[in-house]
Amino acid sequence: MGNIIRKRKLFWVWQWQKEETWINAMAAKGLLLTEVGFCRYEFEEGEPGAYQYCMQMLKGAASKKRNQEYIEFLKDTDIKCIGTVGSWIYLRRKTEEIPFSLFSDLDSKMQYLARIGRTFLFLMISQLVACIGNFYAWLSGSGNMKLMIGIFFLFTGAVWGFAAAGLFCRVRNLKKESVLRE
């Protein structure tokens, strides 16, 4: 095998498709992903374009029994799990003529994207609840720090809301596409 190359790169959680595209571009250059961590990627030099990569968000942590069974099932279909970060798994398979996608039909893709959107929506709501709590504490005289924390939670809630809205728009567009295909 080839040399080991380590790279650090930040992708926001809602940019998994951009991250996936970047990993596949690296593979096309002959840098094959062998290990992954938070903002950390380890590549090994290999045959350019030999593998395709895909990411998937699981329901809960990758260490859960049902997720481990799913990863084993993928292994039986010649898809290797390179690593996990939180509930995201990084998958690899040998390059074939068709693009690597875990969803063979629009309905399953729409359900998957809607599930991620609901996760982001939940995060948005929890951030906004924390924002309201801090603003209430600030109004009750708890000091300016509560105001600053409330503003932070307001900002992060808005970011999660923006990410959720983007996913729900994609689901809506896929539904329109589905209707046109029928």
Side-chain angles (χ1 to χ4, degrees):
M1 290 286 177
N3 295 328
I4 302 294
I5 293 122
R6 291 178 182 87
K7 295 198 175 271
R8 293 200 172 274
K9 193 161 176 81
L10 174 66
F11 292 97
W12 298 106
V13 70
W14 55 85
Q15 293 179 314
W16 82 91
Q17 291 158 321
K18 185 177 179 182
E19 181 178 5
E20 192 176 279
T21 299
W22 177 73
I23 292 168
N24 279 304
M26 299 298 278
K29 296 176 188 175
L31 296 177
L32 310 177
L33 185 67
T34 58
E35 194 174 310
V36 66
F38 179 71
C39 301
R40 182 184 52 78
Y41 305 85
E42 189 171 290
F43 298 91
E44 185 172 46
E45 290 179 337
E47 181 185 344
Y51 291 97
Q52 293 176 313
Y53 294 85
C54 185
M55 294 172 57
Q56 184 179 13
M57 182 180 186
L58 301 172
K59 293 179 182 176
S63 60
K64 282 189 171 183
K65 184 179 182 201
R66 75 167 180 250
N67 290 335
Q68 287 298 310
E69 290 170 354
Y70 175 67
I71 291 169
E72 283 299 313
F73 164 75
L74 290 174
K75 189 189 291 184
D76 293 340
T77 63
D78 295 325
I79 297 173
K80 180 181 180 185
C81 180
I82 299 300
T84 64
V85 176
S87 59
W88 287 94
I89 57 174
Y90 293 72
L91 304 169
R92 173 173 82 184
R93 76 160 190 200
K94 287 216 177 268
T95 298
E96 296 176 3
E97 296 206 11
I98 57 171
F100 185 13
S101 176
L102 296 170
F103 305 101
S104 58
D105 62 300
L106 283 178
D107 285 338
S108 60
K109 187 172 187 173
M110 286 186 293
Q111 290 173 0
Y112 173 68
L113 292 174
R115 180 172 58 83
I116 296 173
R118 286 189 302 274
T119 301
F120 292 170
L121 190 62
F122 170 77
L123 291 169
M124 178 199 77
I125 292 168
S126 64
Q127 296 294 298
L128 294 178
V129 166
C131 167
I132 291 168
N134 278 282
F135 282 163
Y136 179 77
W138 172 69
L139 290 171
S140 299
S142 291
N144 289 336
M145 189 61 161
K146 292 291 184 180
L147 174 63
M148 299 305 290
I149 293 170
I151 291 170
F152 171 78
F153 283 132
L154 179 64
F155 174 75
T156 57
V159 169
W160 284 118
F162 177 75
L167 281 169
F168 291 132
C169 284
R170 287 193 54 213
V171 170
R172 187 184 69 227
N173 291 339
L174 287 173
K175 283 182 183 177
K176 288 178 185 176
E177 183 180 327
S178 175
V179 169
L180 289 175
R181 287 185 181 186
E182 293 175 359

